[in-house]
Amino acid sequence: ILADIGYIPRQEWLSFYRGSRLSGCSERMPEYAIEAGCGALGHGLPQAVGIAFGAKLQNEHFHTYCIIGDGEMQEGSSWEAIQFAVKHGLSRLRIIIDANELQAMDFLENILTISGRKDDLKNKLTAFGCRVEICKGHDMDAILAVFDTWNAAPADDPHVKVLIAETVKGYGLACMERVAKFHFRLPTENELQMGKRYE
């Protein structure tokens, strides 16, 4: 997306993992609009909470957006960050969770998520005091509608806003959909020949 809108040079994206300055776990690269690249799980949300808290202390009114995975929500530091954000009423914090039911090695229910509890993440976030919305993560209109709802909230609304965006890992590529190993590697030319699928 950042390449499509002109922040990242197209060649850097095309040479990803093949000599590009972009690494698998991106570092801070503000010239590419990457303010906090957080490959190490559990670091991104605490950083976003720190930015949002700093903004509140300085009476700044910008929004802080953090995109994390549902696998990352298995990290304790993410929940500590949520607790801090709710405690301090960081209502300008926007958390988007890419909920594809996979983490680096396997499906979440094979790691920590209890099988059959589909609403577990929403219930936990709500219990912590967040305002939670759920939508199809491949539907940009649905995502923007959630953002509009958040932006229409009263100025004194203290809630941390969370969007659980339900997605399919590797969406659109037959070789990659719901396959955990593509967390770490790019598809080969032969795998790409398996074709694309779009709804």
Side-chain angles (χ1 to χ4, degrees):
I1 292 169
L2 291 173
D4 287 346
I5 62 178
Y7 281 102
I8 296 176
R10 177 66 52 186
Q11 188 53 42
E12 294 282 15
W13 174 243
L14 294 175
S15 61
F16 182 65
Y17 272 158
R18 293 184 289 268
S20 171
R21 286 186 61 210
L22 302 170
S23 63
C25 298
S26 296
E27 299 299 328
R28 176 175 162 77
M29 301 174 76
E31 68 276 21
Y32 288 175
I34 301 172
E35 295 186 47
C38 306
L41 293 181
H43 292 183
L45 184 52
Q47 283 189 57
V49 168
I51 292 168
F53 186 54
K56 183 173 183 177
L57 290 177
Q58 297 173 58
N59 202 29
E60 298 283 353
H61 298 291
F62 59 80
H63 294 106
T64 301
Y65 288 83
C66 180
I67 303 173
I68 60 175
D70 51 356
E72 190 166 4
M73 290 304 295
Q74 294 181 340
E75 293 281 352
S77 54
S78 294
W79 291 103
E80 290 175 34
I82 291 282
Q83 186 171 331
F84 184 93
V86 170
K87 165 70 176 175
H88 293 282
L90 302 184
S91 61
R92 293 183 173 272
L93 176 63
R94 311 298 201 227
I95 302 167
I96 298 99
I97 300 176
D98 177 9
N100 60 25
E101 301 178 355
L102 277 158
Q103 54 137 285
M105 301 296 189
D106 205 345
F107 286 90
L108 299 186
E109 66 179 25
N110 295 334
I111 308 296
L112 282 177
T113 301
I114 298 172
S115 299
R117 285 175 34 181
K118 290 290 187 185
D119 292 332
D120 210 28
L121 185 56
K122 179 185 178 183
N123 291 340
K124 287 176 182 174
L125 289 162
T126 302
F128 268 68
C130 298
R131 176 154 295 151
V132 183
E133 304 285 344
I134 300 175
C135 78
K136 296 297 180 188
H138 302 291
D139 183 343
M140 285 308 300
D141 290 335
I143 292 172
L144 292 173
V146 171
F147 290 176
D148 288 342
T149 299
W150 287 346
N151 293 334
D156 59 352
D157 177 7
H159 293 91
V160 172
K161 315 297 190 296
V162 181
L163 170 61
I164 298 174
E166 297 176 334
T167 64
V168 175
K169 188 178 187 78
Y171 181 73
L173 288 176
C175 66
M176 291 180 67
E177 287 193 340
R178 297 179 62 77
V179 179
K181 68 182 178 182
F182 287 106
H183 184 87
F184 292 106
R185 74 173 185 84
L186 300 175
T188 65
E189 289 301 320
N190 285 340
E191 287 169 334
L192 289 173
Q193 294 305 312
M194 293 172 64
K196 298 179 181 179
R197 184 193 65 75
Y198 298 100
E199 291 182 351

